[in-house]
Amino acid sequence: MNAITFLGNSTMMIPSQCILRAFTRISPSKYIRDPAFRSYPSRFSSCVNQNKNPESNRILTPTNAVPFCTDRQSSVTTAQVVSEARSLSASTTCANDPTVGKIHTKNGLNVKPLDLERLKGDEKDEEVINGDDKRVNGDCYEGIKSNESEEEAWRLLRDSVVTYCDSPVGTMAAKDPTDTLPSNYDQVFIRDFVPSALAFLLKGESEIVRNFLLHTLQLQSWEKTVDCYSPGQGLMPASFKVRTLPLEEDKFEEVLDPDFGEAAIGRVAPVDSGLWWIILLRAYGKITGDYSLQERIDVQTGIKMIANLCLADGFDMFPTLLVTDGSCMIDRRMGIHGHPLEIQALFYSALRSSREMLTVNDSSKNIIKTISNRLSALSFHIRENYWVDKNKINEIYRYKTEEYSMDATNKFNIYPEQVSPWLMDWVPESSDCGFLIGNLQPAHMDFRFFTLGNLLSIISSLGTPKQNQAILNLIEEKWDDLVGHMPLKICYPALESSEWHIITGSDPKNTPWSYHNGGSWPTLLWQFTLACIKMGRPELAEKAVTLAEKRLQADRWPEYYDTRNGKFIGKQSRLYQTWTIAGFLTSKQLLQNPEIASSLFWEEDLELLETCVCVLTKAGRKKCSRAAAKSQILI
Ligand code: GLC
């Protein structure tokens, strides 16, 4: 395998003293012969730097790497295929990359027309990039008044930027100068980088996002091993760190060290990473107008690998994606294993993005068809079965159980006792308010309100237009519970007493109304803002942003807040948390330029509603109905 082409396609910004090197178990790399690395033959993407002073970031051996155990022929074969596909695309340095500057629309589906204003911004970017200053300073939106907290936020966001071979590749999760034990918060998390990326893109600074997308793409096909087992090809890491390793004499190299969950607390699977990567790739194209990135063969292969991993046949009975606990933003045990809403909304958004971005040809037409079918089934299933309002809860409360047959009303055999008193008290009277429940499994409905899943459902049009409006109505109606002193609560209500013991495993970080268990997360502001703008209710977002702005800077940009209405800075909350800062900035920019928001959300796709949907009706399940799918738009 030609290692340079394998990695080099993504190296447009790499200075000449950096040599990119990729090595896998099949690479004859000198690092594999080096005893210091023999145990970790496939973890790193690296570049050699001869002059760098390594003291600040020096490590001798990777601390969180897991031992090499077995090899799987199949995965090597896949890696080879992928690397071959990737090596087909153009490879060069930043200044010479023939793909830079070639901005054009694509022939695929649903592509937003080229935005000339944005193109002007990009030309400006390139001028700077081709000079020596790699950081693009252009602000697309002149005349925006930024206040003191915004200015500080921008300073902090720029300060959190991580470079690899002198090019910006991401932002670290938190950068608190007083924190001597940052744990893994000094890493670039894929999900955390999304609001940073949007803030930069909306500011006209696209280089960091492009580099991030391409470097994480290279990490995707890495060999990864958890307890002698290799997770599926296509998995994206939860996070990565740039490490500096010594070579012989005074040379050093920088390496990208990914964590696929093998070092993460609880060894959680980062299911959401690949989905966020696809969503960000689409946003990059939409905002910059540079569709050439998504058209590259290596990038197309990356999209297909993620889609294939998610669409692979398993034992699933539902079109939703089956995952373990902690596989998304809530990355510890919180009783969200199964089919959690956040993953389904991300899955839906990523499939819609993929359908837009995949180049239609003989090799992609099958996967595009599979994606379209899954999208139809997924939205039908969620709209029908996850939606609750007062009337639906009353219906569940009166359910008959143990119904064996195709025409059961209570398809999932939900025992009415699950409709707990908090829910009956909490659900608003009005049928104009409702929400999508957190999870649905046999005999199990998780009625907790999960904010991110509901907001993403609005943004991606996973919900019907009426449902989307009703979710915002509910947030407004339940403002004190879901926003309180700090937007927004990650989920409502908190697990308490024996539920907390049993469901979290007595997790001291997830005590009631703290962290993932009912804590308030300012980063959720950007998704809320986007959802409000989409539904024509920016004033609601403005109210939330104003509230956050009053406290975030004074409180030193905490990761999360505790208590029932978010009054206290979280017990173990990090300070100077980057996605808090970036979420705030992105919200501000979206509110200042609401028209740009439309490139980040999805409208109802009538074509998807045309697809046949099998309906489980009293008349039997064979019925295939377009009308049923279409009628959902009226729900
Ligand atoms: C916590 C959060 C997770 C986030 C990470 C880094 O683990 O639960 O969502 O990505 O911190 O900020």
Side-chain angles (χ1 to χ4, degrees):
M1 178 175 64
N2 180 338
I4 302 229
T5 43
F6 178 64
L7 254 191
N9 305 330
S10 62
T11 61
M12 50 172 284
M13 302 303 165
I14 306 301
S16 57
Q17 77 268 29
C18 287
I19 301 164
L20 279 163
R21 186 183 293 107
F23 47 92
T24 71
R25 283 170 207 162
I26 51 175
S27 307
S29 163
K30 79 191 192 84
Y31 298 88
I32 296 179
R33 291 196 297 275
D34 182 336
F37 298 99
R38 198 170 291 140
S39 305
Y40 319 105
S42 60
R43 287 183 58 80
F44 305 112
S45 159
S46 73
C47 74
V48 176
N49 192 332
Q50 312 216 2
N51 309 316
K52 191 178 170 97
N53 176 357
E55 293 308 318
S56 58
N57 198 16
R58 181 170 173 164
I59 58 153
L60 292 176
T61 51
T63 48
N64 63 354
V66 291
F68 169 68
C69 295
T70 69
D71 205 345
R72 291 200 310 182
Q73 191 54 46
S74 60
S75 61
V76 169
T77 310
T78 316
Q80 275 171 314
V81 170
V82 171
S83 70
E84 275 157 23
R86 288 187 178 166
S87 67
L88 285 171
S89 56
S91 160
T92 171
T93 62
C94 163
N96 300 327
D97 188 340
T99 62
V100 173
K102 226 200 264 172
I103 297 169
H104 52 90
T105 49
K106 63 184 294 240
N107 298 325
L109 301 154
N110 292 338
V111 176
K112 195 174 187 288
L114 197 59
D115 181 333
L116 292 174
E117 278 314 300
R118 293 288 327 156
L119 274 182
K120 278 190 209 144
D122 272 14
E123 278 159 18
K124 201 158 135 206
D125 285 9
E126 281 160 36
E127 276 164 30
V128 185
I129 290 164
N130 290 333
D132 271 338
D133 182 3
K134 292 230 171 50
R135 213 194 66 206
V136 184
N137 274 319
D139 191 335
C140 298
Y141 309 110
E142 282 168 28
I144 294 170
K145 279 186 239 97
S146 65
N147 60 28
E148 201 202 313
S149 54
E150 273 174 83
E151 277 163 23
E152 178 176 295
W154 273 114
R155 241 186 348 267
L156 293 168
L157 181 63
R158 293 193 194 292
D159 200 39
S160 73
V161 168
V162 170
T163 59
Y164 173 62
C165 299
D166 296 333
S167 294
V169 290
T171 49
M172 64 179 77
K175 197 172 182 200
D176 179 355
T178 63
D179 188 355
T180 48
L181 284 174
S183 182
N184 54 351
Y185 282 81
D186 59 358
Q187 305 206 4
V188 180
F189 277 74
I190 309 304
R191 72 175 77 83
D192 291 42
F193 182 65
V194 175
S196 300
L198 296 178
F200 283 123
L201 286 174
L202 294 173
K203 190 100 175 144
E205 302 178 23
S206 55
E207 180 203 349
I208 186 171
V209 183
R210 185 181 167 99
N211 290 347
F212 169 88
L213 287 165
L214 290 170
H215 281 297
T216 45
L217 177 66
Q218 300 303 334
L219 298 175
Q220 179 191 33
S221 56
W222 248 228
E223 292 292 327
K224 53 236 162 214
T225 319
V226 182
D227 279 357
C228 306
Y229 179 73
S230 297
Q233 283 292 328
L235 191 70
M236 281 279 181
S239 60
F240 66 86
K241 187 174 168 76
V242 179
R243 298 186 190 276
T244 305
L245 301 177
L247 295 172
E248 73 275 5
E249 294 161 6
D250 60 343
K251 292 185 187 137
F252 298 90
E253 66 168 350
E254 283 187 343
V255 294
L256 288 184
D257 182 11
D259 179 5
F260 288 94
E262 70 268 41
I265 296 164
R267 302 294 185 262
V268 282
V271 178
D272 64 339
S273 289
L275 305 174
W276 277 121
W277 183 87
I278 291 179
I279 293 164
L280 182 60
L281 178 66
R282 172 187 183 263
Y284 172 89
K286 290 273 186 179
I287 296 177
T288 63
D290 172 11
Y291 292 105
S292 65
L293 184 69
Q294 56 185 251
E295 289 171 344
R296 283 169 53 144
I297 292 177
D298 54 348
V299 175
Q300 289 277 316
T301 305
I303 301 172
K304 285 184 207 157
M305 280 173 72
I306 297 167
N308 278 330
L309 188 61
C310 295
L311 296 168
D313 288 339
F315 290 104
D316 309 328
M317 298 296 285
F318 310 130
T320 35
L321 203 58
L322 180 62
V323 299
T324 58
D325 216 342
S327 55
C328 51
M329 175 187 181
I330 296 180
D331 55 359
R332 332 164 51 102
R333 186 173 160 193
M334 264 291 287
I336 58 164
H337 50 274
H339 304 94
L341 180 65
E342 177 181 331
I343 288 287
Q344 312 318 322
L346 283 170
F347 184 33
Y348 186 78
S349 312
L351 289 183
R352 284 199 67 172
S353 306
S354 306
R355 189 159 155 271
E356 285 175 32
M357 293 189 293
L358 282 171
T359 308
V360 184
N361 55 34
D362 280 353
S363 75
S364 65
K365 61 176 194 271
N366 283 345
I367 191 164
I368 293 174
K369 191 156 180 266
T370 309
I371 288 173
S372 294
N373 289 342
R374 189 65 170 259
L375 280 168
S376 297
L378 187 58
S379 65
F380 188 81
H381 180 77
I382 298 277
R383 291 169 177 201
E384 283 282 301
N385 302 313
Y386 278 59
W387 182 252
V388 290
D389 54 15
K390 197 206 100 188
N391 293 338
K392 183 68 193 284
I393 291 171
N394 204 159
E395 195 184 315
I396 299 168
Y397 179 67
R398 288 168 50 78
Y399 265 166
K400 290 197 193 63
T401 58
E402 318 294 332
E403 292 177 283
Y404 174 83
S405 76
M406 299 294 198
D407 34 349
T409 313
N410 182 2
K411 282 183 288 201
F412 305 100
N413 199 32
I414 306 299
Y415 298 107
E417 286 71 13
Q418 282 179 42
V419 179
S420 41
W422 79 261
L423 181 64
M424 293 163 90
D425 288 347
W426 195 69
V427 70
E429 268 298 317
S430 162
S431 60
D432 290 339
C433 294
F435 65 100
L436 295 164
I437 60 169
N439 211 329
L440 176 66
Q441 311 248 60
H444 175 64
M445 274 183 154
D446 183 343
F447 289 107
R448 281 176 291 172
F449 176 87
F450 285 87
T451 303
L452 182 51
N454 273 282
L455 294 179
L456 287 173
S457 300
I458 299 175
I459 293 166
S460 65
S461 284
L462 175 56
T464 67
K466 200 167 167 216
Q467 288 172 343
N468 294 338
Q469 206 55 263
I471 295 170
L472 280 190
N473 292 341
L474 177 116
I475 296 178
E476 193 177 19
E477 173 90 14
K478 295 289 168 186
W479 191 262
D480 289 347
D481 290 333
L482 300 175
V483 178
H485 291 268
M486 178 54 67
L488 283 127
K489 205 143 270 314
I490 195 166
C491 67
Y492 183 91
L495 299 168
E496 302 193 71
S497 314
S498 57
E499 270 195 329
W500 167 75
H501 275 295
I502 296 165
I503 296 175
T504 72
S506 310
D507 184 344
K509 206 167 170 184
N510 273 334
T511 49
W513 307 108
S514 182
Y515 199 45
H516 299 144
N517 188 13
S520 301
W521 291 67
T523 189
L524 295 171
L525 257 187
W526 78 263
Q527 293 98 339
F528 181 58
T529 304
L530 195 51
C532 289
I533 293 174
K534 178 180 171 187
M535 302 313 292
R537 311 198 34 199
E539 71 293 341
L540 217 50
E542 265 157 27
K543 200 170 139 195
V545 172
T546 306
L547 199 60
E549 194 160 13
K550 280 195 193 128
R551 292 190 60 188
L552 287 180
Q553 187 186 18
D555 291 348
R556 290 170 293 161
W557 311 94
E559 180 187 16
Y560 64 94
Y561 286 76
D562 283 359
T563 76
R564 209 173 248 278
N565 43 25
K567 207 191 286 181
F568 282 59
I569 298 173
K571 208 175 10 181
Q572 294 186 43
S573 168
R574 302 274 155 177
L575 300 178
Y576 301 103
Q577 178 80 18
T578 305
W579 69 351
T580 297
I581 296 163
F584 167 72
L585 287 174
T586 299
S587 301
K588 279 275 184 176
Q589 291 179 96
L590 288 172
L591 285 171
Q592 282 152 354
N593 305 279
E595 62 290 352
I596 195 92
S598 62
S599 48
L600 297 175
F601 56 67
W602 291 259
E603 296 295 352
E604 179 78 290
D605 186 334
L606 297 172
E607 201 184 289
L608 287 175
L609 299 180
E610 285 291 336
T611 312
C612 275
V613 172
C614 278
V615 208
L616 291 158
T617 62
K618 289 198 171 128
R621 75 165 172 177
K622 295 278 150 44
K623 203 164 162 190
C624 196
S625 160
R626 282 187 185 150
K630 268 188 148 173
S631 72
Q632 286 190 332
I633 198 167
L634 305 172
I635 289 174

